[in-house]
Amino acid sequence: MFHHVKELQFNARVSKPDVRFARLLLEQFGGPNGELKAAMQYFVQAFGCRKAYPAEYDMLMDIATEEFSHLEIVGATIQMLLTGVNGELKNAADESDLTKMLDGKAAKESYIHDAMIDPHFFIVSGGTPTLTDSVGNPWNASYIMGMGDLTADLRLNIGAETSAKMVYENLMKFTDDEYVKESLRFLMTREVAHFQMFQAALENIKPNFPPGILQSDPRFSNKYFNMSNGKDFKGPWNEGKSPEMKEEWQVVNHPLEHVQETNGLLDEKAKGTQRTEQSVQKDNKSLSKERKAEVDEATLPKNGVMSWSVYEESVEANSNKNK
């Protein structure tokens, strides 16, 4: 159930119209890293964990709903930046008013040029936000990412928040309006907050690595293939122990020869790890059984009926009424 509160989550303000920046801001309205993408991604992901992970479901729905609030802030800011455009476009009988609003002939010609690049924003929309990115590409559902596995989805969401944060950071460079920057900084900060929420939720699920259920092949999980010529660099990605599985990194300095010597890696041996094929298969079966039991128990029909919601307050109220 959604309930719309007419006041914005953050009091967005604009000092003066700015048609050009309004168009740039569309990137966060209908772009691939924008607020609608985030809202729909978290909203869709939440369905899969409603029963098995009710706490994470609650978090995903809360953040998805907040993202819709952010979409409203972005849309409201765009509309304020377009102040005057909507009315002047309606004044079809006198084009001189639009020329004056755009500060003369040169500005009007620039406006027309932009309209040719993105006609929907300047001509078809009539001066209102559109669900497109900044160059007019329409929003589409292919932006949404979800794997149906909560640990994988949370990692995708961490990436989504990172991308959105960077877009806001870049947008702030293209406006001198301190009020607009104030709103953008709020929105950018909430991306950082959500990043941390998803990260904390991921750490709350044990085990959470690797994503999914099936374990990795111990012959290849700690191999580092040196695939380039020139100076070699060392770091925690190719020396010492791997961060998650604590296996010793095995550096293959001559990949071509190594592949040839091992019959295309078919004869590769596991080194630097205590895991074996037998232990991997055992862990696969164990985790598969555990996750299946979690889902089955959480989704088991009650009295032959599957119900999405349990209206505890209504049930309690009826119970007290019948006493």
Side-chain angles (χ1 to χ4, degrees):
M1 183 193 311
F2 290 89
H3 175 76
H4 181 248
V5 178
K6 295 179 177 63
E7 290 78 19
L8 296 177
Q9 182 189 18
F10 183 84
N11 187 15
R13 299 179 296 174
V14 168
S15 65
K16 62 182 182 300
D18 187 341
V19 175
R20 289 177 177 274
F21 190 74
R23 179 178 152 190
L24 286 180
L25 193 53
L26 278 176
E27 200 64 35
Q28 289 301 79
F29 195 71
N33 298 302
E35 301 294 352
L36 180 59
K37 172 264 176 74
M40 292 305 300
Q41 178 160 308
Y42 310 153
F43 183 71
V44 170
Q45 288 175 353
F47 286 98
C49 64
R50 168 66 175 85
K51 297 291 186 177
Y53 298 96
E56 286 75 10
Y57 167 86
D58 187 58
M59 177 200 68
L60 283 167
M61 279 297 185
D62 280 344
I63 296 178
T65 304
E66 184 180 355
E67 300 289 12
F68 281 117
S69 299
H70 295 173
L71 182 70
E72 187 175 23
I73 292 171
V74 173
T77 302
I78 292 172
Q79 191 62 55
M80 288 187 288
L81 290 168
L82 293 174
T83 297
V85 173
N86 188 287
E88 298 305 337
L89 287 174
K90 300 298 185 291
N91 189 11
D94 189 355
E95 64 177 35
S96 62
D97 287 343
L98 182 59
T99 304
K100 292 175 184 177
M101 188 197 74
L102 293 171
D103 298 324
K105 183 178 179 182
K108 182 179 180 181
E109 289 178 351
S110 176
Y111 182 91
I112 293 172
H113 172 73
D114 289 342
M116 295 301 292
I117 298 174
D118 186 2
H120 282 82
F121 187 37
F122 291 107
I123 299 174
V124 179
S125 73
T128 58
T130 57
L131 279 177
T132 69
D133 63 15
S134 58
V135 293
N137 297 311
W139 188 92
N140 68 83
S142 66
Y143 299 154
I144 307 304
M145 301 181 70
M147 300 301 298
D149 177 90
L150 188 55
T151 65
D153 287 348
L154 289 170
R155 287 183 169 90
L156 291 172
N157 296 349
I158 289 170
E161 295 295 325
T162 301
S163 299
K165 191 265 185 184
M166 293 307 301
V167 173
Y168 279 123
E169 188 171 316
N170 292 332
L171 280 169
M172 291 171 69
K173 301 172 185 175
F174 291 93
T175 179
D176 296 324
D177 192 319
E178 291 302 321
Y179 291 137
V180 174
K181 284 186 176 181
E182 185 180 58
S183 296
L184 296 180
R185 187 169 186 237
F186 166 76
L187 293 167
M188 182 193 74
T189 300
R190 292 307 297 163
E191 310 295 354
V192 176
H194 294 163
F195 180 106
Q196 296 177 92
M197 294 173 197
F198 290 134
Q199 199 169 46
L202 178 62
E203 289 302 315
N204 196 47
I205 301 171
K206 301 295 184 183
N208 64 31
F209 188 88
I213 293 171
L214 298 180
Q215 306 300 303
S216 57
D217 190 325
R219 296 177 298 170
F220 311 116
S221 57
N222 60 340
K223 292 290 190 303
Y224 181 89
F225 288 89
N226 187 359
M227 305 292 281
S228 57
N229 294 323
K231 183 178 180 180
D232 294 330
F233 292 89
K234 293 292 185 179
W237 53 86
N238 63 5
E239 68 177 354
K241 293 186 177 181
S242 59
E244 295 287 348
M245 301 168 70
K246 308 304 179 185
E247 298 174 321
E248 291 286 344
W249 288 117
Q250 305 295 304
V251 178
V252 180
N253 284 313
H254 305 287
L256 177 59
E257 290 86 342
H258 186 81
V259 168
Q260 292 172 338
E261 291 170 358
T262 58
N263 190 26
L265 298 180
L266 294 178
D267 300 331
E268 184 74 13
K269 304 296 182 183
K271 295 179 181 179
T273 178
Q274 295 181 345
R275 296 190 311 132
T276 65
E277 184 61 23
Q278 291 73 23
S279 69
V280 164
Q281 294 304 326
K282 181 179 178 181
D283 289 343
N284 284 346
K285 291 180 180 179
S286 175
L287 186 55
S288 295
K289 184 177 180 180
E290 179 183 334
R291 290 287 165 81
K292 180 180 184 300
E294 287 179 357
V295 174
D296 286 347
E297 182 180 0
T299 57
L300 191 68
K302 301 293 190 288
N303 300 320
V305 177
M306 288 183 286
S307 177
W308 188 258
S309 301
V310 177
Y311 300 95
E312 292 91 352
E313 294 182 2
S314 298
V315 172
E316 184 178 351
N318 290 332
S319 176
N320 293 334
K321 183 178 180 180
N322 294 330
K323 288 182 179 179

